[in-house]
């Protein structure tokens, strides 16, 4: 009797995952939970840093909350924008992003932070990082370009698959590397590979682009002592003779001291000046220290759910633009999450990229929330999902109830 019960349980779970609105609910639920948990952890992780700078304890949290409110508006816009208007917007977005990234290199306009010159001052405490919007711009512009070429059956020729997608991507990479931001360049490269893979690039072509990017990355890393030291700190358990592995080692200390359920929200020790960037690049380490293994696994599960839903949306749509855009956004969020969490765990070099939707930083949060809004819109526009949502509208229910009433015998009341 146990066999049929297990089979029926598996069948129920399979049906639940195959429901039309599964991807829609996963994207909405996982995205909002990551955002809310991120706000809580930004408040907890940034209090000491703010006090060190003689600022109110809630200073970074209030800025992140403001960015989340603005991002929520952008997310709602993304869920409602017509597909035709979105595709028309891709070229102005790319041009504006390139222009802003060029402004970063102009003295007096561009601002350097943490050794990287990739910011524009907006006055007061507010700054903008154009390269974060470059990720979104490359995805939407590349999706529109590949979709138009697919409609014309041009993607079977390697030159149409590469040109102008790869040259434009390398132009963005060049502008980013002028500011020394290797982490953002790696994420942008992952997005490019994701778009090429979705377009059906042959293995030789894919391997060629990957080999060239790897060779270029090796030159850029080996020519910079700071990047080489980060590479040497992978898996480090010792601070090093000059403390070059300080951040990596203290990230491991934070995770190790968290145990199963953590020391409690707000009770982190490493954020008291020991761990650099506790509210940004290494917020996952503070999460592990305060919420323990249960907290970090919850964050990983939320990102896995978001990634699964994005892949499902890209795989089920019949619109090539939606497939490329959904796949590009999913590649962006999952690759950046893997790079950030891998660095905190000591499995990858510290790249200096934030954890999407979770880390502090308005410039990173705004385009990411807009991208999640697009995923929500794409998931809702699936034919089966549209039909399921239509059946849940009050008007449809009322009409169906009226039809059922008419079928009753005339004597019933």
């Amino acid at each position: 009797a146990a066999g049929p019960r297990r089979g029926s349980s598996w069948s129920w779970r399979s049906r639940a995952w195959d429901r039309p609105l599964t991807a829609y609910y996963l994207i909405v639920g996982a995205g909002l939970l990551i955002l809310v948990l991120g706000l809580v952890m930004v408040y907890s992780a940034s209090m000491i840093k703010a006090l060190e700078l003689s600022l109110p304890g809630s200073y970074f949290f209030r800025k992140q909350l403001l960015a989340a409110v603005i991002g929520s508006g952008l997310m709602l816009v993304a869920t409602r924008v017509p597909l035709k208007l979105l595709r028309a917007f891709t070229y102005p977005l790319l041009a504006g992003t390139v222009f802003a990234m060029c402004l970063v290199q102009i003295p007096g306009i561009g601002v350097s932070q943490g050794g990287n010159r990739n910011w524009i001052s907006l006055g007061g405490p507010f700054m903008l990082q154009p390269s974060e919007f470059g990720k979104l711009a490359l995805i939407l512009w590349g999706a529109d370009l590949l979709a138009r070429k697919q409609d014309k059956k041009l993607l079977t020729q390697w030159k149409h698959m590469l040109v102008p997608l790869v040259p434009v991507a390398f132009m963005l990479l060049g502008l980013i590397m002028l500011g020394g931001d290797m982490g953002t360049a790696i994420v942008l490269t992952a997005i490019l590979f994701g778009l090429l893979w979705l377009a059906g690039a042959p293995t030789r072509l894919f391997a060629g682009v990957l080999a060239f990017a790897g060779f270029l990355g090796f030159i850029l890393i080996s020519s910079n002592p700071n990047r080489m030291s980060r590479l040497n700190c992978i898996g480090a358990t010792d601070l090093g003779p000059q403390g070059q592995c300080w951040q990596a080692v203290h990230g491991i200390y934070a995770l190790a001291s968290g145990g199963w359920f953590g020391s409690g929200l707000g009770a982190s020790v490493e954020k008291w000046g020991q761990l650099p960037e506790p509210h940004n690049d290494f917020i996952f380490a503070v999460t592990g220290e305060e919420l323990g293994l249960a907290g970090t696994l919850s964050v990983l599960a939320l990102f896995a759910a978001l990634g699964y839903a994005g892949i499902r949306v890209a795989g089920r749509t019949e619109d090539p633009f939606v497939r490329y855009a959904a796949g590009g956004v999913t590649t962006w969020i999952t690759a950046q999450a893997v790079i950030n969490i891998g660095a905190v765990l000591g499995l990858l070099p510290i790249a200096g990229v934030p954890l999407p939707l979770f880390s502090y930083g308005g410039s990173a949060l705004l385009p990411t929330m807009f991208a999640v809004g697009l995923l929500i819109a794409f998931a809702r526009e699936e034919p089966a999902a549209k039909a399921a949502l239509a059946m849940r509208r009050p008007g449809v229910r009322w009409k169906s109830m009226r039809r059922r009433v008419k079928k009753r015998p005339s004597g019933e009341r």
Side-chain angles (χ1 to χ4, degrees), residues 65-372:
L65 181 62
L66 176 61
V69 171
I70 298 173
S72 298
L74 291 176
M75 185 189 299
L76 290 176
V77 170
T79 60
R80 298 296 178 183
V81 63
L83 207 59
K84 186 175 181 181
L85 180 61
L86 178 64
R87 295 185 67 170
F89 178 67
T90 59
Y91 286 84
L93 176 63
L94 179 65
T97 302
V98 171
F99 177 72
M101 292 172 70
C102 292
L103 289 179
V104 171
Q105 306 305 322
I106 299 178
I109 299 179
V111 179
S112 296
Q113 270 198 351
N116 297 334
R117 186 184 181 90
N118 49 14
W119 299 86
I120 294 177
S121 177
L122 299 179
F126 299 100
M127 292 193 296
L128 178 71
Q129 188 176 359
S131 57
E132 291 292 341
F133 292 85
K135 303 169 188 175
L136 179 64
L138 178 63
I139 290 170
L140 295 181
W141 174 82
D144 178 71
L145 174 72
L146 293 173
R148 287 188 290 108
K149 290 196 173 190
Q150 179 173 324
D151 291 339
K152 297 178 181 178
K153 297 182 173 26
L154 296 175
L155 291 182
T156 55
Q157 305 175 39
W158 68 269
K159 61 180 181 180
H160 283 288
M161 186 174 292
L162 293 181
V163 180
L165 177 62
V166 174
V168 169
F170 274 75
M171 176 187 67
L172 294 174
L173 287 170
L175 291 172
I176 291 171
M177 289 308 301
L178 281 176
D181 190 356
M182 188 74 181
T184 303
I186 294 174
V187 176
L188 202 72
T189 304
I191 292 172
L192 173 62
F193 289 153
L195 290 174
L196 289 175
W197 182 79
L198 289 167
T203 305
R204 289 181 299 173
L205 183 63
F206 198 87
V209 176
L210 182 62
F212 178 75
F215 175 71
L216 187 61
F218 173 77
I219 294 176
L220 293 173
I221 292 174
S222 60
S223 62
N224 188 297
N226 182 42
R227 294 175 191 144
M228 281 299 298
S229 66
R230 292 187 178 189
L231 192 65
N232 293 330
C233 289
I234 295 178
T237 56
D238 185 76
L239 300 178
Q242 298 178 347
Q244 62 267 27
C245 297
W246 179 280
Q247 189 173 19
V249 171
H250 277 276
I252 298 296
Y253 287 169
L255 291 171
S257 60
W260 288 100
F261 300 103
S263 57
L265 193 61
S268 169
V269 174
E270 289 295 329
K271 69 184 180 184
W272 285 75
Q274 300 298 319
L275 185 64
E277 303 294 337
H279 58 304
N280 195 343
D281 301 347
F282 271 69
I283 193 170
F284 189 75
V286 179
T287 303
E289 186 179 4
E290 295 188 348
L291 303 183
L293 182 64
T296 55
L297 289 180
S298 298
V299 174
L300 289 175
L302 290 172
F303 276 109
L306 189 60
Y308 165 79
I311 293 173
R312 174 169 164 157
V313 170
R316 293 195 173 192
T317 184
E318 296 180 357
D319 190 315
F321 173 79
V322 172
R323 181 170 65 255
Y324 294 130
V329 169
T330 305
T331 301
W332 165 20
I333 294 176
T334 53
Q336 188 163 319
V338 167
I339 292 170
N340 177 280
I341 295 173
V344 174
L345 295 176
L347 303 175
L348 295 173
I350 299 173
V353 296
L355 190 58
L357 298 172
F358 201 86
S359 295
Y360 169 78
S363 292
L365 185 62
L366 295 181
T368 308
M369 291 188 70
F370 185 85
V372 172

